[in-house]
Amino acid sequence: MNCYLYKLSFRTPLHCGAGESAKSLDSSSASICADTLFSALCSQAAVDGGPEAASELCAAAKEGEALFSDLFPYHGEELYIPKPAMLPAAFSETLAADKKKVMKSLEYIPILKLDDYASSMRGKAAFEIDGIFKDFASAESIEKVSLKGREESSPYCVAATVFNAKCGLYGIVLSENQEILTKIKRLLRLLGAGGIGGKVSSGYGKFKILGDEIEMENVNEAVDAQTTALWRMLSAENAASYLSLTTSLPTDGELEEALTGALTTVRRRGGFVTSEEYGAARKKDTQYFLGAGSLFRRKYKGSLYNVASGGAHPVYRYSKPIFLGVDYQ
């Protein structure tokens, strides 16, 4: 297994709808789900290498030769992951009320704080929230005016995420195929110039990949304590449970086993087809996925789902998870 970890520094505001409703302009998230990233990579592949290049990327993902995580925030050198979807056995009695409130409001925790957080949710220790960074980005609402096909102007607002200093998003790609991984790296760089998310034609979502990207084939290539911990959890087998780093959905045949004993969150996934060749109504089929941070007793493989509605070609939504093996349930 080859683990490629990359960090995105955004040069322009990002518009990435949270997916909680069809009104995608009204909200923008400070994370990006893997299916959004994958769709953008496929579109970039089609532009760069034609339909065959997009088909090659889809085939690699479907066969498990390239697995993608969601994109999560970082602050400086510190990488954050979604807090596990655990039910609190009891907050420590010594935890002050204001700290309990802050703890409940946390969306992300540092990788190296994962075990501490799990212990606190089992009532074994207080979670030290001091030093947990939360202000990765600010939300802005940008006023726009539409004149397309109208006699009178039509004002509207676009929600945007603006990352703060030293903050951005990072992601993980797992692959045993070096050729595919090299192509994905190229696509990511090309995507940065064009942008990711919504309203890219207006200049949103442009980024650069920071130079401290990491590629690990074994634990000896980890560069610090957090990447060492990350590698060990990524490669863990026979763990007590598995924390998902990808918003994804098991196949019908996997669903019952995957949900047995699982602690999950649910996320709506919708969106629009960007391909000019597609032709038909561009709204993708809506699905409900299991959010990153969900905990499972067994891994599942997931799939690529065709969410096209009568267009000229299939449109695949990515849904193959990356898991961290952890020692709690």
Side-chain angles (χ1 to χ4, degrees):
M1 178 178 69
N2 202 321
C3 171
Y4 172 58
L5 191 154
Y6 57 96
K7 296 165 73 175
L8 310 184
S9 176
F10 283 86
R11 299 187 286 113
T12 63
L14 166 70
H15 172 72
C16 189
E20 302 308 320
S21 75
K23 297 181 179 179
S24 59
L25 290 179
D26 295 345
S27 64
S28 184
S29 174
S31 64
I32 297 176
C33 290
D35 64 296
T36 298
L37 170 67
F38 185 75
S39 294
L41 290 175
C42 286
S43 296
Q44 186 62 61
V47 171
D48 187 47
E52 297 78 12
S55 296
E56 183 183 20
L57 180 59
C58 288
K62 192 171 184 178
E63 295 301 320
E65 293 181 343
L67 300 176
F68 299 85
S69 74
D70 288 4
L71 303 184
F72 306 119
Y74 67 81
H75 174 231
E77 300 300 319
E78 197 162 41
L79 306 175
Y80 283 67
I81 57 175
K83 69 179 183 182
M86 300 177 72
L87 299 174
F91 282 123
S92 169
E93 295 299 326
T94 61
L95 196 62
D98 59 336
K99 290 192 174 183
K100 290 179 183 178
K101 186 176 180 179
V102 172
M103 190 170 168
K104 287 180 179 178
S105 70
L106 288 177
E107 293 185 73
Y108 303 98
I109 55 176
I111 288 175
L112 292 180
K113 294 284 187 181
L114 181 57
D115 288 342
D116 292 346
Y117 181 84
S119 293
S120 73
M121 295 300 282
R122 290 178 294 182
K124 294 185 176 180
F127 184 66
E128 183 53 66
I129 60 174
D130 293 341
I132 303 296
F133 194 78
K134 293 177 65 178
D135 299 324
F136 303 105
S138 57
E140 292 188 359
S141 182
I142 302 173
E143 294 184 355
K144 299 279 186 178
V145 176
S146 174
L147 300 174
K148 187 177 181 180
R150 300 174 186 271
E151 294 183 357
E152 297 182 358
S153 61
S154 177
Y156 65 99
C157 291
V158 176
T161 300
V162 179
F163 286 93
N164 295 325
K166 299 182 180 180
C167 296
L169 298 176
Y170 78 94
I172 296 169
V173 181
L174 298 184
S175 179
E176 295 184 354
N177 186 324
Q178 188 60 50
E179 181 180 354
I180 290 294
L181 186 58
T182 299
K183 290 180 179 180
I184 291 170
K185 290 179 180 179
R186 170 181 164 79
L187 290 174
L188 280 168
R189 282 169 166 75
L190 292 173
L191 186 61
I196 188 171
K199 295 295 180 182
V200 293
S201 61
S202 299
Y204 288 61
K206 296 181 186 297
F207 62 82
K208 65 177 181 179
I209 297 179
L210 297 184
D212 54 351
E213 54 197 324
I214 298 168
E215 193 168 335
M216 298 183 287
E217 288 190 74
N218 56 63
V219 71
N220 295 327
E221 294 180 335
V223 298
D224 54 21
Q226 64 179 346
T227 50
T228 298
L230 182 65
W231 175 268
R232 287 176 174 159
M233 289 189 286
L234 286 170
S235 56
E237 299 292 342
N238 302 315
S241 62
Y242 298 93
L243 188 150
S244 174
L245 294 183
T246 308
T247 298
S248 59
L249 183 66
T251 63
D252 289 345
E254 296 173 316
L255 191 59
E256 181 175 355
E257 183 174 279
L259 292 182
T260 300
L263 297 170
T264 66
T265 58
V266 176
R267 295 198 62 173
R268 178 184 180 276
R269 307 305 302 150
F272 294 87
V273 180
T274 59
S275 167
E276 295 294 334
E277 291 73 27
Y278 184 68
R282 293 175 178 273
K283 189 174 181 180
K284 298 177 183 175
D285 291 345
T286 298
Q287 292 177 290
Y288 288 85
F289 277 22
L290 305 176
S294 297
L295 278 168
F296 302 91
R297 291 187 176 177
R298 292 177 179 81
K299 295 182 182 180
Y300 58 85
K301 293 184 177 180
S303 186
L304 266 64
Y305 297 101
N306 185 1
V307 290
S309 297
H313 57 74
V315 177
Y316 292 108
R317 178 174 289 141
Y318 178 86
S319 178
K320 295 181 73 71
I322 289 176
F323 291 107
L324 298 182
V326 293
D327 64 357
Y328 48 82
Q329 296 182 348

